[in-house]
Amino acid sequence: MIDYLNILLYVQIALCIFCLYRIIRGPSIADRMVGLDIFGILVVGICAILSITTKRSFILDIGITWIILSFIGTLTLAKYLSGKKLNE
Amino acid sequence: MRYIALFIILFILWLLLSFNFTLTNIAIGVLVSIITTILFGKYFIYGGIKFLQPQRYFWLVVYLFIFIWECIKANFDVAYRVLHPAMPIKPGIVKVKLGIKSDFARMMLANSITMTPGTITVDIIDDYIYVHWIYVSTDNPEEYSQKVSGKFEKYIKKIFE
Amino acid sequence: MEIISFILICIGILFNLLGCIGLIRLPDVYNRLQSATKCVTLGTCSILLGVLFHFGFNEAGIKAIIAIPLLFFGATVAAHALVKGAYLFGIKLGDKSVKDDYKDVEKS
């Protein structure tokens, strides 16, 4: 079972390359931010699969922290895009 | 009232996350929860007393099943549009009338609309909600407001209002 | 239990793959956000559910079940903020779009 999960882990890492393609080639700044947002969610999936294959549960803590940090980063960049100050 | 509800939620969350029931850990949890409650209590929702009525939880469970079913169905719909060689999409922003008054219920309705694949909430101004839709199938306002929000609205009115 | 967990993780990665294909193929920002955010969020929720079935209700399973609503609300609010920010920044809707009700609101 662990071997098949390792293969799925490589598939998930390959999906991150799609997001990197969108971040590099995106025609406007909003496309790059969409790619960054999706990249953050995919990393949480990688953390979840790693916690099974290595049998260590603290990796899920890293996943939860990553969700919150990615959420705050996306909100800040979206606020910058809409042209407001941070305290409005 | 609001402060006590926020304190209880934060303390249960701390116990579940750290999963360690020694006396030292519980004392640290109480201290951290009190500091967070004093700092952020004024941003918590009004009317916490409504969440003690049991029939709301029954409708919440019914609503969760309907919501997950809609989610999976519409997800396959978007997957079909992505994989089709000609990409049959007709995107556009439509304007839908709302029938809900309270703020928290409006927030939940907007979240539900966003999470169903095919529609994203753009903004709420006065009584109208603006929705970006990937396939605008009709031009009739009655018909598309029924399609976008009609399925969720009656359950949300029962749960959160 | 192992088999159910493995099937759930496979379904999750399949949804992630569809979302990333949508991110590459679709024509403009709004449609990319439509496909990508929702397919990827549902897929990751399915993977976390698989982790819950694998560990059972102990320390790790509870963490996975806490992560699901957090991810759900975080992703929806982030998608909403990105759409509004992109519209206010001045990015036009794509060539294929048929209707735009939000335009006259912004003018006033």
mmCIF file of all heavy atoms in Angstrom, chain A residues 1 5 8 12 45 48-49 52, chain B residues 68 72, chain C residues 1-17 39-56 64 68:
data_model
loop_
_atom_site.group_PDB
_atom_site.id
_atom_site.type_symbol
_atom_site.label_atom_id
_atom_site.label_comp_id
_atom_site.label_asym_id
_atom_site.label_seq_id
_atom_site.Cartn_x
_atom_site.Cartn_y
_atom_site.Cartn_z
ATOM 1 N N MET A 1 0.830 -1.220 0.000
ATOM 2 C CA MET A 1 0.000 0.000 0.000
ATOM 3 C C MET A 1 0.856 1.259 0.000
ATOM 4 O O MET A 1 0.577 2.221 -0.709
ATOM 5 C CB MET A 1 -0.894 -0.033 1.246
ATOM 6 C CG MET A 1 -2.003 0.982 1.239
ATOM 7 S SD MET A 1 -3.165 0.728 -0.089
ATOM 8 C CE MET A 1 -4.115 -0.643 0.568
ATOM 9 N N LEU A 5 1.031 4.579 -2.563
ATOM 10 C CA LEU A 5 0.873 5.956 -2.061
ATOM 11 C C LEU A 5 2.055 6.812 -2.476
ATOM 12 O O LEU A 5 1.896 7.997 -2.759
ATOM 13 C CB LEU A 5 0.736 5.945 -0.537
ATOM 14 C CG LEU A 5 -0.659 5.634 -0.046
ATOM 15 C CD1 LEU A 5 -0.689 5.608 1.457
ATOM 16 C CD2 LEU A 5 -1.610 6.689 -0.543
ATOM 17 N N LEU A 8 1.338 8.004 -5.897
ATOM 18 C CA LEU A 8 0.358 9.096 -5.882
ATOM 19 C C LEU A 8 1.000 10.399 -5.425
ATOM 20 O O LEU A 8 0.649 11.486 -5.894
ATOM 21 C CB LEU A 8 -0.811 8.750 -4.961
ATOM 22 C CG LEU A 8 -1.737 7.663 -5.469
ATOM 23 C CD1 LEU A 8 -2.879 7.492 -4.519
ATOM 24 C CD2 LEU A 8 -2.254 8.023 -6.822
ATOM 25 N N GLN A 12 0.989 14.018 -7.323
ATOM 26 C CA GLN A 12 0.603 15.301 -6.720
ATOM 27 C C GLN A 12 1.700 16.347 -6.901
ATOM 28 O O GLN A 12 1.424 17.511 -7.174
ATOM 29 C CB GLN A 12 0.317 15.073 -5.238
ATOM 30 C CG GLN A 12 -0.153 16.276 -4.493
ATOM 31 C CD GLN A 12 -1.642 16.386 -4.486
ATOM 32 O OE1 GLN A 12 -2.324 15.668 -5.180
ATOM 33 N NE2 GLN A 12 -2.156 17.307 -3.707
ATOM 34 N N GLY A 45 -2.353 18.935 0.446
ATOM 35 C CA GLY A 45 -2.557 17.541 0.059
ATOM 36 C C GLY A 45 -1.283 16.737 0.177
ATOM 37 O O GLY A 45 -1.297 15.591 0.632
ATOM 38 N N ALA A 48 -0.729 15.854 3.737
ATOM 39 C CA ALA A 48 -1.618 14.802 4.226
ATOM 40 C C ALA A 48 -1.116 13.433 3.794
ATOM 41 O O ALA A 48 -1.108 12.484 4.582
ATOM 42 C CB ALA A 48 -3.032 15.037 3.713
ATOM 43 N N ILE A 49 -0.663 13.304 2.523
ATOM 44 C CA ILE A 49 -0.197 11.982 2.076
ATOM 45 C C ILE A 49 1.112 11.613 2.774
ATOM 46 O O ILE A 49 1.325 10.460 3.153
ATOM 47 C CB ILE A 49 -0.042 11.967 0.554
ATOM 48 C CG1 ILE A 49 -1.379 12.244 -0.106
ATOM 49 C CG2 ILE A 49 0.410 10.605 0.075
ATOM 50 C CD1 ILE A 49 -1.285 12.308 -1.578
ATOM 51 N N ILE A 52 0.803 9.873 6.049
ATOM 52 C CA ILE A 52 0.528 8.435 6.038
ATOM 53 C C ILE A 52 1.801 7.656 5.750
ATOM 54 O O ILE A 52 2.125 6.696 6.442
ATOM 55 C CB ILE A 52 -0.546 8.099 4.990
ATOM 56 C CG1 ILE A 52 -1.880 8.670 5.404
ATOM 57 C CG2 ILE A 52 -0.694 6.603 4.860
ATOM 58 C CD1 ILE A 52 -2.967 8.327 4.465
ATOM 59 N N ILE B 68 -23.659 18.473 -0.301
ATOM 60 C CA ILE B 68 -22.593 17.616 -0.822
ATOM 61 C C ILE B 68 -23.017 16.979 -2.140
ATOM 62 O O ILE B 68 -22.226 16.893 -3.088
ATOM 63 C CB ILE B 68 -22.216 16.549 0.231
ATOM 64 C CG1 ILE B 68 -21.526 17.218 1.408
ATOM 65 C CG2 ILE B 68 -21.303 15.508 -0.345
ATOM 66 C CD1 ILE B 68 -21.296 16.301 2.557
ATOM 67 N N ILE B 72 -20.987 17.500 -5.746
ATOM 68 C CA ILE B 72 -20.392 16.447 -6.576
ATOM 69 C C ILE B 72 -20.967 16.485 -7.988
ATOM 70 O O ILE B 72 -20.231 16.399 -8.979
ATOM 71 C CB ILE B 72 -20.635 15.080 -5.908
ATOM 72 C CG1 ILE B 72 -19.823 15.000 -4.623
ATOM 73 C CG2 ILE B 72 -20.241 13.953 -6.820
ATOM 74 C CD1 ILE B 72 -20.138 13.808 -3.790
ATOM 75 N N MET C 1 -10.734 -0.858 5.879
ATOM 76 C CA MET C 1 -10.414 0.547 6.155
ATOM 77 C C MET C 1 -9.303 1.055 5.239
ATOM 78 O O MET C 1 -9.401 2.139 4.670
ATOM 79 C CB MET C 1 -9.952 0.692 7.607
ATOM 80 C CG MET C 1 -11.103 0.868 8.574
ATOM 81 S SD MET C 1 -12.166 2.229 8.088
ATOM 82 C CE MET C 1 -13.665 1.751 8.882
ATOM 83 N N GLU C 2 -8.263 0.228 5.085
ATOM 84 C CA GLU C 2 -7.157 0.630 4.210
ATOM 85 C C GLU C 2 -7.650 0.864 2.791
ATOM 86 O O GLU C 2 -7.274 1.846 2.136
ATOM 87 C CB GLU C 2 -6.104 -0.479 4.197
ATOM 88 C CG GLU C 2 -5.399 -0.685 5.520
ATOM 89 C CD GLU C 2 -4.371 0.385 5.770
ATOM 90 O OE1 GLU C 2 -3.570 0.621 4.849
ATOM 91 O OE2 GLU C 2 -4.377 0.973 6.841
ATOM 92 N N ILE C 3 -8.562 -0.051 2.344
ATOM 93 C CA ILE C 3 -9.024 0.045 0.958
ATOM 94 C C ILE C 3 -9.853 1.305 0.762
ATOM 95 O O ILE C 3 -9.692 2.037 -0.227
ATOM 96 C CB ILE C 3 -9.848 -1.207 0.598
ATOM 97 C CG1 ILE C 3 -8.991 -2.454 0.798
ATOM 98 C CG2 ILE C 3 -10.300 -1.147 -0.838
ATOM 99 C CD1 ILE C 3 -7.800 -2.524 -0.095
ATOM 100 N N ILE C 4 -10.757 1.610 1.741
ATOM 101 C CA ILE C 4 -11.594 2.819 1.618
ATOM 102 C C ILE C 4 -10.709 4.057 1.581
ATOM 103 O O ILE C 4 -10.906 4.969 0.761
ATOM 104 C CB ILE C 4 -12.584 2.913 2.796
ATOM 105 C CG1 ILE C 4 -13.541 1.731 2.774
ATOM 106 C CG2 ILE C 4 -13.384 4.189 2.733
ATOM 107 C CD1 ILE C 4 -14.452 1.707 3.958
ATOM 108 N N SER C 5 -9.708 4.090 2.447
ATOM 109 C CA SER C 5 -8.820 5.245 2.496
ATOM 110 C C SER C 5 -8.077 5.417 1.179
ATOM 111 O O SER C 5 -7.955 6.529 0.642
ATOM 112 C CB SER C 5 -7.849 5.060 3.659
ATOM 113 O OG SER C 5 -6.581 5.496 3.318
ATOM 114 N N PHE C 6 -7.608 4.292 0.608
ATOM 115 C CA PHE C 6 -6.866 4.379 -0.654
ATOM 116 C C PHE C 6 -7.758 4.879 -1.788
ATOM 117 O O PHE C 6 -7.353 5.729 -2.589
ATOM 118 C CB PHE C 6 -6.300 3.003 -0.984
ATOM 119 C CG PHE C 6 -5.376 3.003 -2.144
ATOM 120 C CD1 PHE C 6 -4.137 3.615 -2.052
ATOM 121 C CD2 PHE C 6 -5.727 2.397 -3.338
ATOM 122 C CE1 PHE C 6 -3.286 3.622 -3.125
ATOM 123 C CE2 PHE C 6 -4.874 2.404 -4.410
ATOM 124 C CZ PHE C 6 -3.646 3.010 -4.301
ATOM 125 N N ILE C 7 -9.032 4.383 -1.817
ATOM 126 C CA ILE C 7 -9.945 4.825 -2.882
ATOM 127 C C ILE C 7 -10.243 6.314 -2.751
ATOM 128 O O ILE C 7 -10.258 7.054 -3.743
ATOM 129 C CB ILE C 7 -11.246 3.995 -2.832
ATOM 130 C CG1 ILE C 7 -10.951 2.570 -3.275
ATOM 131 C CG2 ILE C 7 -12.296 4.583 -3.737
ATOM 132 C CD1 ILE C 7 -12.110 1.645 -3.115
ATOM 133 N N LEU C 8 -10.441 6.788 -1.491
ATOM 134 C CA LEU C 8 -10.733 8.224 -1.305
ATOM 135 C C LEU C 8 -9.553 9.076 -1.768
ATOM 136 O O LEU C 8 -9.741 10.124 -2.402
ATOM 137 C CB LEU C 8 -11.042 8.505 0.161
ATOM 138 C CG LEU C 8 -12.480 8.257 0.582
ATOM 139 C CD1 LEU C 8 -12.632 8.445 2.059
ATOM 140 C CD2 LEU C 8 -13.380 9.230 -0.138
ATOM 141 N N ILE C 9 -8.317 8.632 -1.468
ATOM 142 C CA ILE C 9 -7.155 9.426 -1.890
ATOM 143 C C ILE C 9 -7.035 9.440 -3.407
ATOM 144 O O ILE C 9 -6.720 10.469 -4.011
ATOM 145 C CB ILE C 9 -5.888 8.877 -1.220
ATOM 146 C CG1 ILE C 9 -5.956 9.141 0.277
ATOM 147 C CG2 ILE C 9 -4.644 9.527 -1.772
ATOM 148 C CD1 ILE C 9 -4.810 8.585 1.029
ATOM 149 N N CYS C 10 -7.360 8.288 -4.064
ATOM 150 C CA CYS C 10 -7.315 8.251 -5.526
ATOM 151 C C CYS C 10 -8.324 9.225 -6.133
ATOM 152 O O CYS C 10 -8.001 9.960 -7.071
ATOM 153 C CB CYS C 10 -7.594 6.849 -6.038
ATOM 154 S SG CYS C 10 -6.224 5.758 -5.874
ATOM 155 N N ILE C 11 -9.568 9.248 -5.573
ATOM 156 C CA ILE C 11 -10.591 10.170 -6.090
ATOM 157 C C ILE C 11 -10.125 11.611 -5.925
ATOM 158 O O ILE C 11 -10.274 12.449 -6.821
ATOM 159 C CB ILE C 11 -11.935 9.939 -5.366
ATOM 160 C CG1 ILE C 11 -12.495 8.579 -5.738
ATOM 161 C CG2 ILE C 11 -12.930 11.004 -5.717
ATOM 162 C CD1 ILE C 11 -13.721 8.217 -4.962
ATOM 163 N N GLY C 12 -9.516 11.907 -4.766
ATOM 164 C CA GLY C 12 -9.034 13.262 -4.527
ATOM 165 C C GLY C 12 -7.998 13.688 -5.534
ATOM 166 O O GLY C 12 -8.044 14.801 -6.055
ATOM 167 N N ILE C 13 -7.053 12.788 -5.856
ATOM 168 C CA ILE C 13 -6.007 13.182 -6.804
ATOM 169 C C ILE C 13 -6.568 13.315 -8.209
ATOM 170 O O ILE C 13 -6.140 14.169 -8.986
ATOM 171 C CB ILE C 13 -4.837 12.205 -6.707
ATOM 172 C CG1 ILE C 13 -4.129 12.478 -5.386
ATOM 173 C CG2 ILE C 13 -3.864 12.372 -7.826
ATOM 174 C CD1 ILE C 13 -2.893 11.748 -5.180
ATOM 175 N N LEU C 14 -7.605 12.502 -8.537
ATOM 176 C CA LEU C 14 -8.255 12.653 -9.847
ATOM 177 C C LEU C 14 -8.888 14.038 -9.975
ATOM 178 O O LEU C 14 -8.729 14.725 -11.003
ATOM 179 C CB LEU C 14 -9.313 11.563 -10.004
ATOM 180 C CG LEU C 14 -9.867 11.402 -11.399
ATOM 181 C CD1 LEU C 14 -8.777 10.907 -12.306
ATOM 182 C CD2 LEU C 14 -11.020 10.441 -11.395
ATOM 183 N N PHE C 15 -9.597 14.499 -8.898
ATOM 184 C CA PHE C 15 -10.199 15.838 -8.944
ATOM 185 C C PHE C 15 -9.127 16.917 -9.052
ATOM 186 O O PHE C 15 -9.293 17.899 -9.775
ATOM 187 C CB PHE C 15 -11.051 16.078 -7.701
ATOM 188 C CG PHE C 15 -12.449 15.580 -7.841
ATOM 189 C CD1 PHE C 15 -13.049 14.862 -6.839
ATOM 190 C CD2 PHE C 15 -13.170 15.843 -8.980
ATOM 191 C CE1 PHE C 15 -14.339 14.410 -6.964
ATOM 192 C CE2 PHE C 15 -14.456 15.398 -9.110
ATOM 193 C CZ PHE C 15 -15.035 14.667 -8.102
ATOM 194 N N ASN C 16 -8.009 16.722 -8.316
ATOM 195 C CA ASN C 16 -6.923 17.697 -8.410
ATOM 196 C C ASN C 16 -6.398 17.799 -9.828
ATOM 197 O O ASN C 16 -6.121 18.896 -10.324
ATOM 198 C CB ASN C 16 -5.776 17.283 -7.490
ATOM 199 C CG ASN C 16 -6.029 17.640 -6.072
ATOM 200 O OD1 ASN C 16 -7.034 18.248 -5.776
ATOM 201 N ND2 ASN C 16 -5.135 17.273 -5.201
ATOM 202 N N LEU C 17 -6.283 16.641 -10.502
ATOM 203 C CA LEU C 17 -5.786 16.630 -11.877
ATOM 204 C C LEU C 17 -6.727 17.405 -12.790
ATOM 205 O O LEU C 17 -6.280 18.230 -13.609
ATOM 206 C CB LEU C 17 -5.653 15.181 -12.342
ATOM 207 C CG LEU C 17 -5.190 14.983 -13.770
ATOM 208 C CD1 LEU C 17 -3.762 15.471 -13.888
ATOM 209 C CD2 LEU C 17 -5.256 13.544 -14.163
ATOM 210 N N CYS C 39 -12.534 22.485 -7.848
ATOM 211 C CA CYS C 39 -12.116 21.092 -8.012
ATOM 212 C C CYS C 39 -10.981 20.772 -7.052
ATOM 213 O O CYS C 39 -10.974 19.721 -6.406
ATOM 214 C CB CYS C 39 -11.674 20.847 -9.440
ATOM 215 S SG CYS C 39 -13.012 20.791 -10.600
ATOM 216 N N VAL C 40 -9.995 21.685 -6.900
ATOM 217 C CA VAL C 40 -8.847 21.379 -6.052
ATOM 218 C C VAL C 40 -9.253 21.335 -4.585
ATOM 219 O O VAL C 40 -8.787 20.469 -3.838
ATOM 220 C CB VAL C 40 -7.732 22.404 -6.318
ATOM 221 C CG1 VAL C 40 -6.611 22.232 -5.335
ATOM 222 C CG2 VAL C 40 -7.205 22.227 -7.694
ATOM 223 N N THR C 41 -10.172 22.222 -4.161
ATOM 224 C CA THR C 41 -10.589 22.190 -2.763
ATOM 225 C C THR C 41 -11.338 20.906 -2.433
ATOM 226 O O THR C 41 -11.083 20.271 -1.405
ATOM 227 C CB THR C 41 -11.482 23.390 -2.454
ATOM 228 O OG1 THR C 41 -10.801 24.556 -2.843
ATOM 229 C CG2 THR C 41 -11.789 23.463 -0.999
ATOM 230 N N LEU C 42 -12.252 20.487 -3.328
ATOM 231 C CA LEU C 42 -12.980 19.248 -3.073
ATOM 232 C C LEU C 42 -12.034 18.059 -3.077
ATOM 233 O O LEU C 42 -12.173 17.145 -2.256
ATOM 234 C CB LEU C 42 -14.071 19.075 -4.125
ATOM 235 C CG LEU C 42 -15.246 18.256 -3.643
ATOM 236 C CD1 LEU C 42 -15.990 19.007 -2.594
ATOM 237 C CD2 LEU C 42 -16.144 17.931 -4.785
ATOM 238 N N GLY C 43 -11.041 18.065 -3.974
ATOM 239 C CA GLY C 43 -10.093 16.964 -4.011
ATOM 240 C C GLY C 43 -9.270 16.878 -2.753
ATOM 241 O O GLY C 43 -9.063 15.783 -2.205
ATOM 242 N N THR C 44 -8.818 18.043 -2.230
ATOM 243 C CA THR C 44 -8.014 18.012 -1.015
ATOM 244 C C THR C 44 -8.849 17.606 0.190
ATOM 245 O O THR C 44 -8.355 16.903 1.075
ATOM 246 C CB THR C 44 -7.364 19.379 -0.793
ATOM 247 O OG1 THR C 44 -6.716 19.749 -2.000
ATOM 248 C CG2 THR C 44 -6.328 19.302 0.283
ATOM 249 N N CYS C 45 -10.146 18.007 0.222
ATOM 250 C CA CYS C 45 -11.021 17.544 1.294
ATOM 251 C C CYS C 45 -11.144 16.030 1.248
ATOM 252 O O CYS C 45 -11.159 15.361 2.286
ATOM 253 C CB CYS C 45 -12.403 18.176 1.161
ATOM 254 S SG CYS C 45 -12.476 19.852 1.707
ATOM 255 N N SER C 46 -11.227 15.468 0.042
ATOM 256 C CA SER C 46 -11.334 14.009 -0.087
ATOM 257 C C SER C 46 -10.064 13.325 0.401
ATOM 258 O O SER C 46 -10.125 12.279 1.056
ATOM 259 C CB SER C 46 -11.622 13.678 -1.541
ATOM 260 O OG SER C 46 -11.586 12.325 -1.734
ATOM 261 N N ILE C 47 -8.883 13.913 0.113
ATOM 262 C CA ILE C 47 -7.627 13.326 0.601
ATOM 263 C C ILE C 47 -7.584 13.343 2.123
ATOM 264 O O ILE C 47 -7.201 12.353 2.766
ATOM 265 C CB ILE C 47 -6.422 14.095 0.029
ATOM 266 C CG1 ILE C 47 -6.290 13.844 -1.464
ATOM 267 C CG2 ILE C 47 -5.138 13.642 0.691
ATOM 268 C CD1 ILE C 47 -5.199 14.629 -2.087
ATOM 269 N N LEU C 48 -8.028 14.470 2.733
ATOM 270 C CA LEU C 48 -8.009 14.559 4.197
ATOM 271 C C LEU C 48 -8.979 13.552 4.817
ATOM 272 O O LEU C 48 -8.705 12.977 5.876
ATOM 273 C CB LEU C 48 -8.355 15.970 4.644
ATOM 274 C CG LEU C 48 -7.238 16.983 4.433
ATOM 275 C CD1 LEU C 48 -7.738 18.373 4.681
ATOM 276 C CD2 LEU C 48 -6.111 16.692 5.371
ATOM 277 N N LEU C 49 -10.128 13.317 4.133
ATOM 278 C CA LEU C 49 -11.068 12.301 4.608
ATOM 279 C C LEU C 49 -10.430 10.918 4.549
ATOM 280 O O LEU C 49 -10.636 10.079 5.442
ATOM 281 C CB LEU C 49 -12.323 12.348 3.750
ATOM 282 C CG LEU C 49 -13.645 12.064 4.415
ATOM 283 C CD1 LEU C 49 -13.864 13.042 5.528
ATOM 284 C CD2 LEU C 49 -14.753 12.176 3.404
ATOM 285 N N GLY C 50 -9.616 10.674 3.508
ATOM 286 C CA GLY C 50 -8.899 9.410 3.423
ATOM 287 C C GLY C 50 -7.921 9.245 4.563
ATOM 288 O O GLY C 50 -7.779 8.150 5.121
ATOM 289 N N VAL C 51 -7.241 10.351 4.955
ATOM 290 C CA VAL C 51 -6.320 10.294 6.093
ATOM 291 C C VAL C 51 -7.082 9.960 7.367
ATOM 292 O O VAL C 51 -6.628 9.158 8.192
ATOM 293 C CB VAL C 51 -5.575 11.637 6.229
ATOM 294 C CG1 VAL C 51 -4.755 11.663 7.487
ATOM 295 C CG2 VAL C 51 -4.688 11.844 5.048
ATOM 296 N N LEU C 52 -8.308 10.541 7.515
ATOM 297 C CA LEU C 52 -9.134 10.235 8.693
ATOM 298 C C LEU C 52 -9.482 8.753 8.745
ATOM 299 O O LEU C 52 -9.390 8.116 9.794
ATOM 300 C CB LEU C 52 -10.401 11.086 8.657
ATOM 301 C CG LEU C 52 -11.464 10.725 9.673
ATOM 302 C CD1 LEU C 52 -10.972 11.063 11.051
ATOM 303 C CD2 LEU C 52 -12.729 11.454 9.392
ATOM 304 N N PHE C 53 -9.844 8.161 7.591
ATOM 305 C CA PHE C 53 -10.186 6.739 7.590
ATOM 306 C C PHE C 53 -8.965 5.873 7.879
ATOM 307 O O PHE C 53 -9.092 4.792 8.437
ATOM 308 C CB PHE C 53 -10.785 6.340 6.238
ATOM 309 C CG PHE C 53 -12.257 6.526 6.180
ATOM 310 C CD1 PHE C 53 -12.811 7.552 5.445
ATOM 311 C CD2 PHE C 53 -13.088 5.676 6.875
ATOM 312 C CE1 PHE C 53 -14.169 7.725 5.403
ATOM 313 C CE2 PHE C 53 -14.446 5.844 6.830
ATOM 314 C CZ PHE C 53 -14.989 6.870 6.098
ATOM 315 N N HIS C 54 -7.790 6.345 7.478
ATOM 316 C CA HIS C 54 -6.587 5.534 7.702
ATOM 317 C C HIS C 54 -6.188 5.499 9.167
ATOM 318 O O HIS C 54 -5.843 4.456 9.701
ATOM 319 C CB HIS C 54 -5.437 6.085 6.853
ATOM 320 C CG HIS C 54 -4.177 5.315 6.979
ATOM 321 N ND1 HIS C 54 -3.228 5.598 7.935
ATOM 322 C CD2 HIS C 54 -3.711 4.269 6.294
ATOM 323 C CE1 HIS C 54 -2.235 4.752 7.813
ATOM 324 N NE2 HIS C 54 -2.492 3.933 6.827
ATOM 325 N N PHE C 55 -6.249 6.679 9.850
ATOM 326 C CA PHE C 55 -5.776 6.715 11.233
ATOM 327 C C PHE C 55 -6.860 6.362 12.241
ATOM 328 O O PHE C 55 -6.544 6.001 13.360
ATOM 329 C CB PHE C 55 -5.244 8.112 11.575
ATOM 330 C CG PHE C 55 -3.882 8.372 11.034
ATOM 331 C CD1 PHE C 55 -3.680 9.326 10.067
ATOM 332 C CD2 PHE C 55 -2.796 7.679 11.512
ATOM 333 C CE1 PHE C 55 -2.427 9.567 9.572
ATOM 334 C CE2 PHE C 55 -1.539 7.915 11.017
ATOM 335 C CZ PHE C 55 -1.352 8.858 10.046
ATOM 336 N N GLY C 56 -8.146 6.510 11.873
ATOM 337 C CA GLY C 56 -9.200 6.317 12.862
ATOM 338 C C GLY C 56 -9.303 7.553 13.754
ATOM 339 O O GLY C 56 -8.635 8.560 13.524
ATOM 340 N N ALA C 64 -7.026 15.902 11.120
ATOM 341 C CA ALA C 64 -7.511 15.915 9.741
ATOM 342 C C ALA C 64 -8.936 16.437 9.682
ATOM 343 O O ALA C 64 -9.286 17.221 8.797
ATOM 344 C CB ALA C 64 -7.449 14.514 9.144
ATOM 345 N N ILE C 68 -10.557 20.103 7.621
ATOM 346 C CA ILE C 68 -11.522 20.172 6.507
ATOM 347 C C ILE C 68 -12.353 21.460 6.513
ATOM 348 O O ILE C 68 -12.351 22.181 5.516
ATOM 349 C CB ILE C 68 -12.415 18.910 6.489
ATOM 350 C CG1 ILE C 68 -11.590 17.713 6.058
ATOM 351 C CG2 ILE C 68 -13.566 19.072 5.553
ATOM 352 C CD1 ILE C 68 -12.338 16.422 6.097
#
